[in-house]
């Protein structure tokens, strides 16, 4: 369990908070590029790390992210006109460019130079891998962009989407690095049903529900290895990547001896504020283009991370018990909830908006969670003392993959799986 002080550090992300300061040292996924696909298209509301923002693409195809409220009288710039290389407030017409400079004040006298004295907060942003990224930290500490393999592949090799989640980022994230729950929460009662784990899909997680965890510190965060029995002379290793400040990479299902060359996926658990999260999901196929079916599975509104509506809100949520079907729970699936994403969200959101970790009882299956909390809290506290997080300035440290592999029982997993865990970037 955590102390109340550490619980607050872990969960509070607003301006001036310890975790908020830490997260602001990294580039953050802000929106999908397709949300502002054309110059002068309608602006998009954003809320990240407890801050209200507005995103727009100007007449020259440049992207801007500004504080949401006009500095004149506080009107919402989301309602504004995106025109002639600026976002114009519809209240009195004050207009701002992507750098936050005030370009025009039609309500002021023609001879006034008041506009030169007014500037709205703006944040650096970039488009990469189908995602618009924002840096919300100090201007003199701008981090390197993370060099995820998927950020540099061709567009037809990646699929990215997001969905809204009604809980604190940390309890959602901890679900993403918890490799033990897949043997239960995501399991079928029979071998049918590709959506869940069963013997037909992954017999190792079904047959051995007591994984043994080993955790390795890395420049980007942690590699969390879950070991299960495979045969009398081999172990099944499932290696999850945990990357600062809120990324995870999911081990592919093992179909042979290892997952080298297999498509893989992952998540970014981006805090909207203390009580809600954008759960980003990506699918990656380094060996070639995704098929249309593979793309729809990852990025489609009814794919593995759906169903979601046009605003990326899940149709199954706490108001309908995440679609749980008690008859299915008796006869088909362990949870009675369809879809891995809905199962995860149901459990994570069922804890409440912010779970009270001072009351929990952690066991052997929680080693990965325990080590992650220790590491990230150590990094946050080090930043307080002036030590910048190393991962923020080493973008290529993020050029890694997750993996599943069968190894002889006498083989150390880091050595045996080393060739599986590195991404390939031609740029490097």
């Amino acid at each position: 369990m955590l102390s109340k002080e550490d619980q607050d550090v872990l969960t509070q992300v607003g301006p001036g908070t310890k975790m908020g300061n830490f997260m602001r040292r990294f580039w953050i996924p802000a929106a999908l590029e397709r949300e502002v696909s054309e110059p002068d298209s309608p602006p998009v509301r954003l809320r990240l790390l407890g801050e209200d923002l507005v995103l727009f693409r100007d007449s020259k195809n440049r992207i801007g992210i500004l504080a949401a409220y006009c500095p004149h009288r506080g009107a919402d710039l989301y309602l504004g006109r995106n025109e002639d290389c600026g976002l114009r407030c519809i209240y009195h017409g004050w207009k701002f460019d992507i750098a936050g400079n005030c370009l025009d004040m039609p309500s002021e006298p023609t001879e006034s130079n008041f506009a030169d004295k007014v500037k709205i907060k703006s944040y650096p942003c970039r488009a990469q891998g189908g995602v618009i990224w924002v840096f919300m930290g100090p201007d003199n500490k701008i981090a390197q962009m993370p060099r995820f393999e998927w950020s540099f592949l061709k567009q037809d090799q990646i699929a990215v989407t997001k969905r809204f989640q009604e809980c604190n980022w940390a309890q959602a994230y901890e679900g993403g690095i918890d490799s033990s729950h897949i043997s239960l929460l995501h399991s079928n009662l029979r071998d049918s049903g590709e959506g869940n784990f069963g013997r037909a899909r992954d017999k190792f997680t079904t047959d051995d529900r007591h994984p043994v965890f080993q955790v390795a510190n890395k420049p980007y965060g942690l590699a969390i290895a879950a070991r299960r029995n495979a045969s009398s002379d081999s172990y099944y290793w499932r290696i999850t990547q945990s990357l600062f400040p809120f990324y995870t990479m999911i081990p592919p299902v093992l179909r042979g001896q290892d997952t080298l060359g297999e498509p893989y996926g992952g998540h970014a658990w981006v805090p909207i504020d203390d009580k809600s999260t954008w759960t980003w999901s990506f699918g990656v196929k380094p060996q070639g283009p995704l098929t249309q079916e593979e793309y729809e599975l990852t990025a489609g509104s009814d794919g593995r991370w759906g169903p979601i509506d046009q605003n990326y809100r899940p149709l199954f949520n706490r108001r309908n018990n995440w679609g749980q079907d008690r008859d299915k729970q008796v006869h088909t699936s362990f949870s009675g909830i369809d879809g891995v994403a809905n199962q995860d969200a149901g459990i994570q959101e069922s804890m409440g908006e912010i779970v009270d970790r001072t009351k929990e009882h952690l066991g052997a299956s929680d080693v990965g969670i325990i080590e992650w909390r220790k590491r990230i809290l150590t990094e946050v506290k080090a930043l307080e003392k002036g030590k910048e997080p190393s991962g923020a300035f080493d973008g290529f440290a993020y050029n890694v993959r997750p993996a599943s592999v069968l190894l002889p029982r006498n083989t150390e997993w880091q050595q045996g799986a080393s060739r599986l865990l590195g991404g390939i970037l031609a740029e490097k």
Side-chain angles (χ1 to χ4, degrees), residues 179 182-184 197-198 202-209 228 236 238:
S179 199
I182 64 172
S183 298
L184 295 163
F197 287 82
D202 188 343
K203 68 185 184 69
F204 302 114
T205 59
T206 302
D207 292 353
D208 185 350
R209 295 180 173 181
R228 289 177 168 88
Y236 168 55
R238 194 171 184 271

Side-chain angles (χ1 to χ4, degrees), residues 84-314:
D84 299 327
C85 291
L87 192 57
R88 189 184 296 276
C89 179
I90 61 172
Y91 197 7
H92 295 90
W94 288 22
K95 179 181 175 182
F96 300 90
D97 67 12
I98 62 169
N101 300 305
C102 188
L103 304 177
D104 188 26
M105 288 181 175
S107 59
E108 293 296 304
T110 305
E111 66 275 10
S112 172
N113 67 349
F114 188 23
D116 298 335
K117 302 176 182 179
V118 175
K119 189 177 175 73
I120 193 171
K121 179 64 181 175
S122 66
Y123 288 118
C125 50
R126 299 178 189 173
Q128 180 177 284
V131 176
I132 294 170
W133 305 73
V134 63
F135 184 78
M136 299 172 66
D139 293 338
N140 63 342
K141 300 282 187 182
I142 295 181
Q144 288 188 12
M145 288 284 288
R147 263 53 174 179
F148 292 112
E149 182 177 44
W150 61 268
S151 298
F152 292 89
L153 295 174
K154 295 178 180 178
Q155 282 299 112
D156 61 5
Q157 293 177 270
I158 59 175
V160 187
T161 191
K162 63 182 181 179
R163 59 181 274 160
F164 179 74
Q165 194 154 337
E166 297 178 83
C167 67
N168 179 260
W169 80 278
Q171 68 203 57
Y173 186 89
E174 289 176 351
I177 59 172
D178 176 4
S179 199
S180 65
H181 77 271
I182 64 172
S183 298
L184 295 163
L185 176 64
H186 301 320
S187 66
N188 289 315
L189 301 182
R190 301 185 180 89
D191 287 344
S192 61
E194 278 295 306
N196 292 330
F197 287 82
R199 290 200 92 254
R201 184 182 183 204
D202 188 343
K203 68 185 184 69
F204 302 114
T205 59
T206 302
D207 292 353
D208 185 350
R209 295 180 173 181
H210 309 96
V212 175
F213 284 87
Q214 295 183 18
V215 181
N217 280 298
K218 301 292 182 180
Y220 54 79
L222 300 172
I224 302 172
R227 188 193 77 197
R228 289 177 168 88
N229 293 310
S231 67
S232 60
D233 58 0
S234 66
Y235 286 126
Y236 168 55
W237 290 92
R238 194 171 184 271
I239 303 159
T240 299
Q241 300 285 12
S242 168
L243 309 101
F244 292 139
F246 38 53
Y247 303 100
T248 60
M249 292 184 181
I250 306 166
V253 173
L254 188 67
R255 304 183 192 281
Q257 185 69 24
D258 61 48
T259 52
L260 185 65
E262 289 281 337
Y264 65 91
H267 299 291
W269 313 83
V270 179
I272 298 169
D273 48 37
D274 293 353
K275 296 181 178 180
S276 56
T277 303
W278 280 118
T279 301
W280 289 76
S281 303
F282 57 88
V284 186
K285 193 174 182 181
Q287 65 271 36
L290 293 162
T291 65
Q292 186 62 33
E293 183 180 2
E294 289 170 333
Y295 180 87
E296 288 298 329
L297 185 63
T298 298
S301 61
D302 292 315
R304 65 159 63 98
W305 311 122
I308 53 176
D309 66 16
Q310 68 274 16
N311 297 312
Y312 306 98
R313 303 275 173 148

Side-chain angles (χ1 to χ4, degrees), residues 22 25 375-390:
F22 179 75
R25 291 306 203 269
R375 177 73 189 278
I376 196 167
L377 288 170
T378 297
E379 294 277 335
V380 169
K381 292 170 184 177
L383 178 60
E384 280 190 277
K385 297 177 181 178
K387 183 180 179 182
E388 297 291 328
S390 60

Side-chain angles (χ1 to χ4, degrees), residues 323-376:
Q324 187 181 47
D325 184 319
R326 293 293 187 179
D327 185 66
K328 287 184 178 180
Q329 189 177 37
V330 172
H331 298 104
T332 307
S333 74
F334 188 82
S335 68
I337 297 172
D338 286 340
V340 169
N342 297 313
Q343 293 159 5
D344 281 335
I347 289 301
Q348 294 155 13
E349 293 175 346
S350 75
M351 301 173 186
E353 292 174 327
I354 304 178
V355 66
D356 186 352
R357 292 172 179 80
T358 67
K359 296 180 179 179
E360 66 188 2
H361 297 78
L362 302 183
S365 65
D366 301 306
V367 168
I369 308 299
I370 294 167
E371 292 303 315
W372 174 75
R373 290 181 188 174
K374 287 179 181 177
R375 177 73 189 278
I376 196 167

